Amino acid sequence: MTAPNQAGVLDLRVLGNQLKGMQQQINADREEREECQQQIIAGREELQQQIIAGREELQQQIIADREEWQKWKSDMEKTQKYLEEEIASIGDTNKRLEETLGELEIKVKEMNMELKHVKQQLDDHGQQLGDYRQQLSDHGQTLAGVKMDAEAMSSEIGWIVAGDEHGYDAIKRRNLLDNTQAKLALALALPHNEHSIMSVVFRDTLGPSLELPDRRQKLLELLKDKGASLDPQVLSLMKDVSVLDLLAERRPYV
């Protein structure tokens, strides 16, 4: 048997070393792969734990948010109920206020009507008072005229009692003058009432003055204002100053 070739031995040795190196590399790769697998497994477990922890945390957050939302919802429902009750209360208050305002308006209208009625009564009483005052004034003027006529008649009656023929003529002239003044008062439509003595009304219309010129001027103004209704012959007669003076004299001596 021949001895092996030295070159072949070297090749085998090199090949063995190479195989040994490859085996070592394979072992190193296997260890690295196993280490990677362990890291993957560890990472997967850690990720699963993180996922589980995150899920639990998320669930707890959801539960907390739900509880908070339920609390907010409950608070909102209470607030809404309170607002509805307040709105209803305000509505009732407004209704009562409207009813009260309606009653007040009715009372104000009634008071206004009552005030109007009272005012009308006061106006009526004032008018009646004015009428009474006018009547008193008319009666006063009438009494004054009657007093003057009575004084004149007393004097004239004295003449009759004494059998004075001149006095009797004076009475007839005075009666004629009174009738003339009364007819003029009616013809001139001088203001009077049912108790008025028309001759006195005529004399009172000429004013309170006893001065003949003043009374004559008043008579002329009266004839100018209201004389259109008189008979032309009467108006012609009135142009005589002596006639005017006789009619205008407050207490004519005829």
Side-chain angles (χ1 to χ4, degrees):
M1 185 174 181
T2 61
N5 190 346
Q6 188 174 2
V9 173
L10 290 173
D11 290 338
L12 290 173
R13 189 177 294 171
V14 172
L15 181 60
N17 290 332
Q18 290 178 349
L19 290 173
K20 185 177 180 180
M22 290 176 63
Q23 185 65 41
Q24 290 176 349
Q25 184 65 39
I26 289 171
N27 291 335
D29 291 340
R30 183 182 294 118
E31 290 176 357
E32 185 178 358
R33 186 169 56 253
E34 289 176 355
E35 184 179 355
C36 287
Q37 288 178 350
Q38 290 177 357
Q39 290 178 353
I40 290 172
I41 292 171
R44 184 181 298 168
E45 291 177 353
E46 183 179 359
L47 180 60
Q48 288 178 349
Q49 290 177 356
Q50 290 178 354
I51 291 173
I52 293 172
R55 184 182 298 167
E56 291 177 353
E57 183 179 358
L58 180 60
Q59 288 178 347
Q60 291 177 356
Q61 184 65 40
I62 291 173
I63 292 172
D65 291 343
R66 184 177 298 168
E67 290 177 352
E68 184 177 356
W69 182 82
Q70 290 291 343
K71 183 177 181 300
W72 177 84
K73 181 181 179 182
S74 177
D75 292 340
M76 288 298 100
E77 289 176 350
K78 291 179 181 179
T79 302
Q80 182 178 359
K81 183 178 180 181
Y82 171 77
L83 291 176
E84 290 175 351
E85 291 175 352
E86 287 296 315
I87 291 172
S89 176
I90 292 173
D92 293 338
T93 302
N94 288 337
K95 184 177 180 180
R96 289 194 297 270
L97 286 175
E98 289 177 356
E99 292 175 352
T100 303
L101 287 175
E103 293 174 356
L104 288 175
E105 288 178 355
I106 293 174
K107 289 182 179 179
V108 168
K109 289 181 180 179
E110 292 176 351
M111 291 178 65
N112 287 335
M113 292 179 64
E114 184 66 22
L115 287 174
K116 185 177 180 180
H117 179 65
V118 171
K119 184 177 181 298
Q120 183 62 44
Q121 288 182 336
L122 290 175
D123 292 341
D124 293 341
H125 290 324
Q127 182 64 38
Q128 291 177 358
L129 182 60
D131 294 341
Y132 291 150
R133 287 177 177 173
Q134 184 61 42
Q135 290 178 6
L136 288 174
S137 177
D138 294 341
H139 289 321
Q141 293 178 357
T142 301
L143 288 174
V146 170
K147 181 179 179 182
M148 294 179 65
D149 291 343
E151 292 175 353
M153 289 178 64
S154 176
S155 176
E156 293 164 356
I157 290 172
W159 295 340
I160 295 174
V161 172
D164 187 349
E165 187 69 23
H166 176 72
Y168 181 68
D169 291 338
I171 291 174
K172 291 192 293 183
R173 291 194 298 272
R174 176 56 187 269
N175 184 58
L176 177 61
L177 178 61
D178 285 345
N179 288 335
T180 302
Q181 290 175 334
K183 290 180 179 180
L184 282 173
L186 291 173
L188 295 172
L190 299 182
H192 63 281
N193 56 51
E194 58 183 355
H195 304 292
S196 298
I197 299 174
M198 297 310 297
S199 60
V200 176
V201 171
F202 179 84
R203 291 192 289 272
D204 289 342
T205 302
L206 300 183
S209 176
L210 298 178
E211 298 297 329
L212 182 58
D214 295 338
R215 298 180 65 80
R216 184 195 309 124
Q217 181 62 33
K218 190 71 174 179
L219 177 56
L220 288 172
E221 293 174 358
L222 184 63
L223 292 172
K224 182 179 179 181
D225 292 339
K226 300 184 177 183
S229 59
L230 296 178
D231 186 273
Q233 292 182 353
V234 175
L235 289 175
S236 177
L237 184 62
M238 293 295 180
K239 294 179 181 180
D240 190 332
V241 176
S242 61
V243 174
L244 289 175
D245 289 346
L246 184 61
L247 291 171
E249 184 70 57
R250 178 66 185 177
R251 185 178 178 183
Y253 297 93
V254 293

